[in-house]
Amino acid sequence: MELIPCNTCGQNRFRPIYTKESPLGESFSIVSCEFCGLVQVNPQPNFADVKKYYDDSYFTQRTERGYDNYYSDKLRSEISRVFQLNLNDLDFFSWEKKRISELPPKTKLSSLDIGCAAGYFVAYQKDRGYDAYGIEIADGPVRFARETLKLNIFQENFLDWDSNFQYKFDLITLWATIEHLHQPKETLEKIKSHLKPGGVLILSTCRYGLLAKLAGLRWRYLNVPEHLYYYSYLGLKKLLLSLGYLHPVSFTYGSGMTTRPGARLFFKLRKWFMDRFVKWFQLGDMMVYMVQK
């Protein structure tokens, strides 16, 4: 592992927060940058050392870090429901309607989902009439997206893909992806070059805030080394604005109370209240941003 400069500000002074073991018994340090506050895994494992955590079991065996059969119709439906809720909360469809009105008749909008996994958002956009693409590195999800869903998926590292910027999009999305990336700032810079003028970027990620600090090592998103970066709500906004993105729209959600099969009524009522409470007061441990080029 290599001690690297902070990806946001480039400084090299860090404050230790936690040390945590991965499921494979490897120990990782979680630190906070003393200059900009970005929480991160540092020293950081390289790409090859992290990739081994994304074998097929990550998508087919339920753990705190993976999914219970990611390829099931039930989970696909649930993920699509969350997409719809997030887009509604961002008022994305108003932007979309205006964007369509500015185009010549019968012109399709285009979208790219980075870290698209099995391509569920790509399929969602394709069904809505978009010229939709995805990009993903994991073998199993790419195979499923291409063979089962018949989608246009690139299997490459986004930073190495299309270096001549031949592809341009109206919409680019990073759904729960940026926290996994080794070079998130560089990724956001490259995304801007792939957006058409007036196009938008939507990204969601876990939020390092009050709930994360209260939960400590038990925080549900403190999954190392899959999650390498943990942004604060204000820190992510500052980063996006510093890169030249415009008109940020955002919200937070998620109380940390994960749905339990067969949960009792009291738990369900408490979760219902807490989920709404943290959303009303911008305390959620997930956050979503929409910004414009």
Side-chain angles (χ1 to χ4, degrees):
M1 292 193 292
E2 180 184 2
L3 185 66
I4 62 171
C6 174
N7 185 257
T8 290
C9 69
Q11 300 296 325
N12 283 288
R13 289 173 55 185
F14 303 100
R15 177 177 62 84
I17 304 178
Y18 305 116
T19 299
K20 189 173 183 179
E21 280 198 357
S22 74
L24 300 182
E26 297 175 310
S27 184
F28 296 93
S29 297
I30 301 159
V31 301
S32 173
C33 175
E34 291 190 356
F35 289 87
C36 71
L38 177 63
V39 175
Q40 55 202 276
V41 173
N42 211 349
Q44 200 171 98
N46 63 33
F47 179 79
D49 286 335
V50 174
K51 193 174 186 293
K52 65 190 176 187
Y53 286 86
Y54 295 101
D55 61 16
D56 282 346
S57 66
Y58 180 84
F59 297 94
T60 58
Q61 297 175 17
R62 179 63 185 175
T63 67
E64 66 170 359
R65 347 169 59 79
Y67 300 92
D68 182 8
N69 191 2
Y70 188 84
Y71 307 112
S72 69
D73 290 339
K74 180 180 178 181
L75 188 58
R76 179 182 175 183
S77 177
E78 173 59 19
I79 290 173
S80 296
R81 185 185 70 85
V82 174
F83 289 150
Q84 184 81 25
L85 289 173
N86 286 345
L87 294 174
N88 278 327
D89 285 336
L90 291 170
D91 198 24
F92 167 78
F93 298 109
S94 293
W95 171 86
E96 182 184 70
K97 184 177 179 181
K98 182 175 183 294
R99 185 75 167 180
I100 291 172
S101 71
E102 296 170 347
L103 297 174
K106 298 183 179 180
T107 302
K108 283 187 175 184
L109 294 181
S110 57
S111 64
L112 173 69
D113 187 26
I114 300 171
C116 67
Y120 294 148
F121 188 71
V122 182
Y124 175 84
Q125 291 294 83
K126 181 181 177 182
D127 291 344
R128 297 182 61 246
Y130 273 69
D131 190 11
Y133 293 83
I135 186 165
E136 173 61 51
I137 60 169
D139 297 332
V142 169
R143 187 165 54 249
F144 180 86
R146 287 174 174 173
E147 297 176 4
T148 304
L149 301 182
K150 311 299 182 186
L151 300 174
N152 293 319
I153 307 296
F154 302 102
Q155 188 172 13
E156 292 185 55
N157 183 324
F158 172 72
L159 287 176
D160 298 328
W161 168 78
D162 191 25
S163 57
N164 294 323
F165 299 100
Q166 296 177 15
Y167 286 91
K168 301 282 185 175
F169 302 93
D170 298 285
L171 167 67
I172 296 179
T173 50
L174 283 165
W175 296 111
T177 295
I178 195 169
E179 66 271 19
H180 294 261
L181 303 179
H182 279 79
Q183 296 174 283
K185 183 177 180 180
E186 291 81 356
T187 298
L188 293 173
E189 289 173 329
K190 187 169 190 283
I191 285 172
K192 194 160 178 279
S193 297
H194 283 287
L195 281 172
K196 295 177 182 178
V200 296
L201 162 66
I202 294 176
L203 71 158
S204 67
T205 186
C206 47
R207 174 218 188 160
Y208 195 81
L210 178 62
L211 295 182
K213 293 173 184 176
L214 289 174
L217 277 170
R218 296 178 293 105
W219 185 40
R220 59 179 177 164
Y221 294 123
L222 204 64
N223 297 334
V224 294
E226 299 98 309
H227 292 179
L228 296 171
Y229 292 99
Y230 302 91
Y231 291 92
S232 69
Y233 194 38
L234 183 58
L236 182 55
K237 180 179 180 179
K238 286 181 176 179
L239 174 59
L240 290 166
L241 292 175
S242 74
L243 296 175
Y245 287 100
L246 306 171
H247 314 305
V249 178
S250 61
F251 67 95
T252 76
Y253 70 96
S255 64
M257 297 182 67
T258 306
T259 300
R260 300 176 186 169
R264 295 185 177 182
L265 179 61
F266 177 71
F267 178 86
K268 291 179 179 178
L269 289 174
R270 188 155 59 98
K271 175 175 166 51
W272 180 91
F273 172 78
M274 288 302 298
D275 284 347
R276 281 151 184 79
F277 179 85
V278 299
K279 191 171 183 180
W280 291 334
F281 291 98
Q282 296 282 43
L283 296 172
D285 65 355
M286 280 291 293
M287 55 184 171
V288 186
Y289 270 91
M290 181 171 78
V291 288
Q292 191 169 345
K293 178 175 177 177

